[in-house]
C-alpha cells in the first residue's frame, strides 16, 4: 500500500482528547459530482448564480418539512457534552469536527435568516450571513461527518448532528455541489439495481462460481438462487457481498444457513442492493426510489419473507423507513403496499435481519453448528453505528446488541468485547460510514478510525483477539483498508456470517 501523504495518528493506551488545532482539516474537499451524475439526480452540476437565495429557500423548505431539524437548531445550549464524542474530532483535533461546531456551521445561518433575534441583532446571537466561505466550510465539514449519531447519545437534548449534516448535504446538492462518490452510487443503484453497477448476467456468473467453490469445499450442492419466483425468502444484501473480500464469505454463510434449514430463498437481480445512500444525502425522495426496487422485486417474485444481509445503514433504512417508504411490513396504503402486506407472512418480522433469522434457527435447533471449527479465532465484535443507534433487532430492547453477540458466541468458543464506552450504543464509528468510504477522503477515514483502532488494540493486547466480526459492508471495506495503517493485519476483518458459514453443519 502506498505511503499516506498525511500523518497517521499514534495508537496510545487510551482514547485521548486532543489539543485543538484550528483548521487542520479545512483542506479536505471530497470530489464534487460531475455533470452527468448531477443531471441524473436532478441537481444543478455547478454552483448556480443565485446559490445564496436557493440555499436559504431550501433550508426553509427542510425546516418546514422536518420539525426535528428546527428543534435541533434551536435547542442547543452549548453545554459542551458532545465536544469530545466525535471520532473525527478525536482523530483530527480540528475543533470544527466537534459535533456542536459542526451544527453551528448551519445554526449561525439559520439564526440569521429564520429567527427574529438573528435578523435584528445578528452579532448578539452569533448569526451570520451565508457567504461562499461558509458554503465551502459546509462542503468540507459536512463530508467529515459519518452521520453515526454517537454525539446524540451524549447530548442532554438528544440533538442529532447527523440530521443537520444530511440537511447540509441536501442544500449543497440543491445549489449544485453534490458529492461524486455518493451521487454516482445513487445513479448506479437506480439505473442498474446495485451500488457497484453490476448487471444481472455478471451476478449470475458470480453466483454460479461461488456454488462450485462451496461444493468443491464441502461436497454439498449449496445453491445461491437468483430471481426464483415463489421462494419463501427474498434476501436483500449489499452488492459488496457478491464480489468483495471478506464480504463474499458472509454471502456463503447465508447460503449455508438457508440450505441447512431447508428454507427456499432467492436473490433479485433487479433489487441486488441493500444499501441506500439516499439516507446519507438526506433526500427522502431518492431514498424512496431506491427502496421501491425492493418492493417491486418482492411483489414480482411473490416472496413471503424479506430478510436483510449484513449492512448497517441498509438495516436502518429497512427497519426504520421501509414501512412508510414502501409499505413493507406495515404502513403505506396504496394498492401495492396493501398487496405486499397481504403477501408477506405475518408470523415473521418483516423485514428481518439475517442475524436474527440465523440466531433463531440455532436456538430452535433447526440448524446445528460446531463452534470448535473456529477455535483458531479469538473474536471481538464491532457494533455498527446504524444498527446500534438507529434500529432494533428481535423483540427485546437492546436486541441489536445482544443478538449478534449471542450468534457469535454460538459459533465460536473464544469471544471478548472491547471496552465499555466504545461498544453498544456508545460504539465508535469505523470512520468510513455516511458516504465517506471514498479514497479522496482517506485522511478523514484513517484519522476517524483512531478511537476504534485504540479500543481494538487494547482487546488484542489483553486477550490476543485476532478476528474483528462485523455486520456492515461499509465497516468491512473501511477496516480492511485503514486498520493496516495502524499495524493490524487486514485478514482479521470478517463478517459474522463468515464465522457462521464455517460452523454450520450441512448434512
Ligand atoms: S460523525 Fe457522528 S459523532 Fe461526529 S458529528 Fe457526525 S454524527 Fe456526531
Ligand atoms: S451536547 Fe447537545 S446541547 Fe450540549 S453542546 Fe452538544 S449539541 Fe449542544
Amino acid at each position: 500500500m502506498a505511503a499516506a501523504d498525511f500523518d497517521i495518528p499514534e495508537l496510545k493506551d487510551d482514547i485521548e482528547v486532543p489539543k485543538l488545532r484550528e483548521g487542520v482539516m479545512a483542506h479536505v474537499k471530497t470530489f464534487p459530482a460531475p455533470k452527468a451524475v448531477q443531471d441524473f439526480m436532478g441537481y444543478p452540476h455547478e454552483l448556480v448564480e443565485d446559490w445564496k437565495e436557493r440555499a436559504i429557500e431550501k433550508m426553509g423548505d427542510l425546516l418546514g418539512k422536518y420539525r426535528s431539524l428546527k428543534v435541533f437548531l434551536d435547542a442547543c445550549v452549548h453545554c459542551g457534552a458532545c465536544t469530545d464524542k466525535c471520532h473525527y474530532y478525536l482523530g483530527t483535533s480540528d475543533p470544527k469536527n466537534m459535533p456542536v461546531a459542526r451544527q453551528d456551521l448551519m445554526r449561525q445561518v439559520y439564526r440569521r435568516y429564520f429567527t427574529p433575534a438573528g435578523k435584528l441583532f445578528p452579532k448578539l446571537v452569533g448569526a451570520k450571513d451565508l457567504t461562499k466561505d461558509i458554503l465551502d466550510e459546509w462542503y468540507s465539514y459536512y463530508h467529515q461527518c459519518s452521520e453515526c449519531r454517537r454525539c446524540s447519545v451524549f447530548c442532554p437534548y438528544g440533538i442529532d448532528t447527523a440530521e443537520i449534516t444530511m440537511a447540509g448535504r441536501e442544500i449543497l446538492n440543491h445549489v449544485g455541489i453534490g458529492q461524486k462518490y455518493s451521487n454516482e452510487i445513487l445513479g448506479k443503484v437506480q439505473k442498474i439495481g446495485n451500488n457497484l453497477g453490476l448487471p444481472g448476467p455478471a451476478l449470475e456468473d458470480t453466483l454460479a462460481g461461488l456454488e462450485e467453490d462451496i461444493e468443491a469445499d464441502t461436497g454439498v450442492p449449496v445453491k445461491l438462487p437468483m430471481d426464483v419466483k415463489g421462494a419463501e425468502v427474498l434476501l436483500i444484501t449489499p452488492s459488496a457481498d457478491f464480489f468483495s473480500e471478506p464480504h463474499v464469505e458472509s454471502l456463503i454463510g447465508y447460503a449455508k444457513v438457508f440450505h441447512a434449514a431447508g428454507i427456499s430463498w432467492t436473490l433479485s437481480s433487479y433489487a441486488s442492493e441493500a444499501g441506500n445512500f439516499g439516507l446519507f444525502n438526506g433526500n427522502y425522495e431518492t431514498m424512496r426510489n431506491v427502496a421501491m426496487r425492493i418492493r417491486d422485486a418482492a411483489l414480482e417474485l411473490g416472496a413471503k419473507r424479506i430478510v436483510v444481509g449484513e449492512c448497517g445503514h441498509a438495516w436502518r433504512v429497512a427497519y426504520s423507513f421501509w414501512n412508510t417508504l414502501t409499505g413493507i411490513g406495515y404502513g403505506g396504503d396504496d394498492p401495492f403496499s396493501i398487496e405486499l402486506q397481504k403477501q408477506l407472512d405475518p408470523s415473521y418480522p418483516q423485514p428481518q435481519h439475517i442475524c436474527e433469522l440465523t440466531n433463531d434457527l440455532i436456538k430452535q435447533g433447526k440448524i446445528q453448528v460446531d463452534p470448535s471449527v473456529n477455535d483458531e479465532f479469538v473474536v471481538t465484535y464491532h457494533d455498527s453505528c446504524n444498527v446500534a443507534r438507529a434500529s432494533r433487532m428481535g423483540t427485546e430492547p437492546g436486541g441489536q446488541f445482544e443478538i449478534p453477540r449471542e450468534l457469535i458466541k454460538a459459533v465460536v468458543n473464544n469471544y471478548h468485547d472491547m471496552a465499555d464506552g466504545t461498544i453498544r450504543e456508545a460504539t465508535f464509528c469505523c470512520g468510513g460510514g455516511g458516504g465517506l468510504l471514498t479514497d479522496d477522503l482517506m485522511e478523514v477515514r484513517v484519522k476517524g478510525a483512531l478511537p476504534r483502532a485504540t479500543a481494538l488494540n487494547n482487546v488484542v493486547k489483553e486477550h490476543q483477539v485476532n478476528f474483528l466480526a462485523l455486520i456492515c459492508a461499509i465497516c468491512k471495506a473501511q477496516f480492511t483498508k485503514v486498520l493496516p495503517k495502524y499495524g493490524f493485519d487486514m485478514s482479521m476483518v470478517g463478517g459474522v456470517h463468515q464465522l457462521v458459514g464455517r460452523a454450520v453443519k450441512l448434512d
Side-chain angles (χ1 to χ4, degrees):
M1 193 178 291
D5 54 4
F6 52 87
D7 292 337
I8 311 285
E10 188 191 339
L11 278 186
K12 302 202 175 139
D13 288 344
D14 297 311
I15 297 163
E16 293 180 358
V17 178
K19 283 196 188 135
L20 303 184
R21 292 190 300 148
E22 198 83 44
V24 287
M25 296 299 282
H27 63 280
V28 171
K29 305 267 188 254
T30 188
F31 294 162
K35 181 175 182 321
V37 171
Q38 290 293 92
D39 283 352
F40 179 80
M41 296 292 294
Y43 296 125
H45 63 273
E46 59 188 6
L47 193 61
V48 290
E49 246 175 57
D50 57 344
W51 61 268
K52 191 167 160 178
E53 291 72 26
R54 284 210 207 181
I56 304 299
E57 187 192 359
K58 188 68 193 170
M59 190 187 282
D61 174 39
L62 295 176
L63 287 164
K65 264 198 227 158
Y66 308 122
R67 183 146 174 74
S68 52
L69 180 63
K70 184 171 174 355
V71 169
F72 294 154
L73 289 171
D74 280 331
C76 176
V77 293
H78 286 81
C79 70
C82 65
T83 51
D84 59 351
K85 301 304 185 292
C86 177
H87 49 292
Y88 294 116
Y89 167 61
L90 294 171
T92 67
S93 69
D94 188 322
K96 288 220 166 69
N97 274 328
M98 291 175 172
V100 60
R102 203 183 308 286
Q103 297 165 23
D104 280 350
L105 289 174
M106 185 170 294
R107 187 172 287 121
Q108 60 193 357
V109 177
Y110 161 72
R111 284 190 176 151
R112 180 73 182 97
Y113 298 95
F114 295 96
T115 66
K119 285 177 188 169
L120 294 172
F121 315 107
K123 284 203 176 122
L124 278 183
V125 294
K128 284 192 188 163
D129 284 344
L130 179 58
T131 62
K132 179 65 171 47
D133 284 349
I134 288 178
L135 199 74
D136 288 346
E137 283 192 317
W138 285 16
Y139 193 71
S140 183
Y141 290 101
Y142 288 135
H143 292 102
Q144 296 185 49
C145 169
S146 55
E147 302 171 351
C148 78
R149 311 179 85 221
R150 186 171 194 268
C151 47
S152 71
V153 171
F154 297 89
C155 172
Y157 299 95
I159 293 171
D160 184 359
T161 317
E163 199 163 322
I164 294 171
T165 292
M166 289 171 192
R169 292 184 188 178
E170 171 69 342
I171 295 169
L172 286 163
N173 263 317
H174 199 72
V175 298
I177 37 178
Q179 188 207 17
K180 178 173 187 275
Y181 172 66
S182 292
N183 287 0
E184 246 174 25
I185 282 180
L186 281 164
K188 282 183 205 158
V189 72
Q190 290 179 86
K191 280 187 234 166
I192 300 168
N194 57 65
N195 290 355
L196 298 181
L198 303 164
L203 292 178
E204 273 169 34
D205 279 358
T206 304
L207 297 179
L210 289 175
E211 286 177 352
E212 283 173 22
D213 292 348
I214 301 171
E215 188 159 1
D217 191 34
T218 64
V220 179
V222 172
K223 297 292 170 207
L224 287 115
M226 172 77 83
D227 296 333
V228 176
K229 285 196 176 178
E232 182 182 345
V233 169
L234 169 62
L235 178 73
I236 301 294
T237 205
S239 54
D241 282 2
F242 299 114
F243 281 93
S244 304
E245 282 287 351
H247 308 62
V248 72
E249 304 297 334
S250 283
L251 178 62
I252 292 170
Y254 318 145
K256 288 182 177 175
V257 167
F258 288 125
H259 178 96
I263 297 172
S264 67
W265 69 292
T266 188
L267 295 155
S268 158
S269 58
Y270 179 74
S272 47
E273 180 60 66
N276 191 330
F277 277 35
L279 178 74
F280 301 155
N281 272 7
N283 186 309
Y284 285 76
E285 203 46 52
T286 308
M287 194 158 79
R288 183 164 193 268
N289 288 343
V290 176
M292 283 308 239
R293 293 183 79 95
I294 294 162
R295 173 169 99 177
D296 293 348
L299 284 167
E300 165 73 16
L301 296 171
K304 298 276 182 290
R305 302 168 64 182
I306 303 180
V307 173
V308 179
E310 294 180 353
C311 181
H313 83 277
W315 179 240
R316 177 182 181 189
V317 174
Y319 183 87
S320 303
F321 295 98
W322 271 3
N323 54 356
T324 46
L325 289 175
T326 69
I328 291 173
Y330 62 93
D333 53 9
D334 61 284
F336 295 104
S337 293
I338 291 165
E339 189 184 337
L340 185 61
Q341 285 155 30
K342 280 189 200 145
Q343 177 184 306
L344 295 175
D345 185 340
S347 38
Y348 295 97
Q350 305 286 0
Q352 187 175 37
H353 196 280
I354 187 73
C355 283
E356 187 183 352
L357 176 141
T358 304
N359 199 46
D360 282 352
L361 290 170
I362 294 174
K363 287 207 301 195
Q364 292 161 9
K366 291 184 176 163
I367 60 173
Q368 310 299 318
V369 289
D370 175 8
S372 71
V373 299
N374 284 321
D375 276 354
E376 69 197 77
F377 298 126
V378 184
V379 178
T380 196
Y381 172 67
H382 163 82
D383 297 89
S384 298
C385 310
N386 278 299
V387 176
R389 286 188 282 265
S391 73
R392 280 260 297 265
M393 246 184 244
T395 52
E396 300 298 318
Q400 73 272 34
F401 310 128
E402 300 310 330
I403 287 173
R405 284 174 172 78
E406 222 175 86
L407 177 55
I408 295 169
K409 288 176 190 170
V411 297
V412 308
N413 286 319
N414 309 304
Y415 178 83
H416 298 278
D417 260 325
M418 288 180 269
D420 286 348
T422 76
I423 56 172
R424 296 175 184 262
E425 69 172 2
T427 188
F428 276 108
C429 174
C430 66
L436 308 192
L437 190 74
T438 169
D439 284 357
D440 48 281
L441 289 174
M442 190 53 78
E443 181 176 358
V444 180
R445 289 168 54 190
V446 170
K447 292 180 175 176
L450 176 67
R452 171 47 75 225
T454 305
L456 176 63
N457 195 38
N458 287 340
V459 81
V460 167
K461 282 193 293 186
E462 197 176 338
H463 296 290
Q464 293 73 54
V465 160
N466 60 8
F467 194 101
L468 176 63
L470 306 164
I471 55 167
C472 175
I474 287 176
C475 296
K476 289 172 193 171
Q478 160 75 350
F479 282 136
T480 48
K481 197 106 183 213
V482 306
L483 285 183
K485 309 267 190 203
Y486 289 102
F488 298 99
D489 190 326
M490 68 184 276
S491 68
M492 78 178 301
V493 177
V496 168
H497 276 78
Q498 181 173 336
L499 299 168
V500 171
R502 291 165 57 97
V504 69
K505 295 184 181 175
L506 290 175
D507 39 44

